[in-house]
Amino acid sequence: MKPGAENPALYRTLKDVLERQVEVISVRFEPDAIQKRYLAAEIDPQRVVPPTGSESPQLEVHWKLTPPHDEFRIDYADPNLEFHCGWHQDEDHDDLGVAHFQYQTASMETPHYEGAVFEAESPPKLLWECCGNLFETVIPDYTAEL
């Protein structure tokens, strides 16, 4: 497999990680199960603390194996609150380090960015760490003011 390519085996493992999240209703490969370019998870808005409304938030995971650091995007969007956040490890915002966290609310004209450091190193553990942070800290803390 060439560097920077999507890895179907990795996506199957990451899909399993997402399916283990209690907030997740369903996970699907996009654009389909053959191409597997990214994962899209539907979130139950009533399982999110605090509950956010009637429309299902979405969580997307894009991952490419690229040495020395994988490139990934873990993005959460809640249409009920017009809240978007995510962790990105890519070539954007090099001034913040290898990875960054960003969020935006309806009242913000531009997203807020901050550097991110992870304890986990493997893709499944890193996704698990981000999901835990998302559902246990980010959503309750960042949406409390909305």
Side-chain angles (χ1 to χ4, degrees), residues 60-131:
E60 289 186 0
V61 177
H62 300 250
W63 210 287
K64 291 184 179 181
L65 301 174
T66 55
H69 303 286
D70 291 354
E71 289 186 14
F72 64 81
R73 297 173 70 89
I74 301 167
D75 287 310
Y76 174 82
D78 189 329
N80 301 296
L81 303 174
E82 295 185 47
F83 175 71
H84 175 262
C85 70
W87 291 265
H88 299 176
Q89 187 162 286
D90 51 27
E91 294 184 12
D92 294 346
H93 309 290
D94 286 339
D95 56 318
L96 298 174
V98 175
H100 67 275
F101 172 75
Q102 66 184 63
Y103 72 94
Q104 186 169 12
T105 64
S107 63
M108 299 170 67
E109 289 186 31
T110 59
H112 171 79
Y113 301 94
E114 55 194 61
V117 177
F118 305 104
E119 290 182 26
E121 293 184 17
S122 70
K125 289 181 179 180
L126 203 148
L127 178 58
W128 186 262
E129 181 180 336
C130 288
C131 286

Side-chain angles (χ1 to χ4, degrees), residues 22-38:
V22 293
E23 298 84 0
V24 172
I25 298 171
S26 65
V27 183
R28 66 188 182 282
F29 295 108
E30 290 292 340
D32 55 45
I34 295 171
Q35 294 183 36
K36 295 182 177 109
R37 299 242 166 108
Y38 67 96

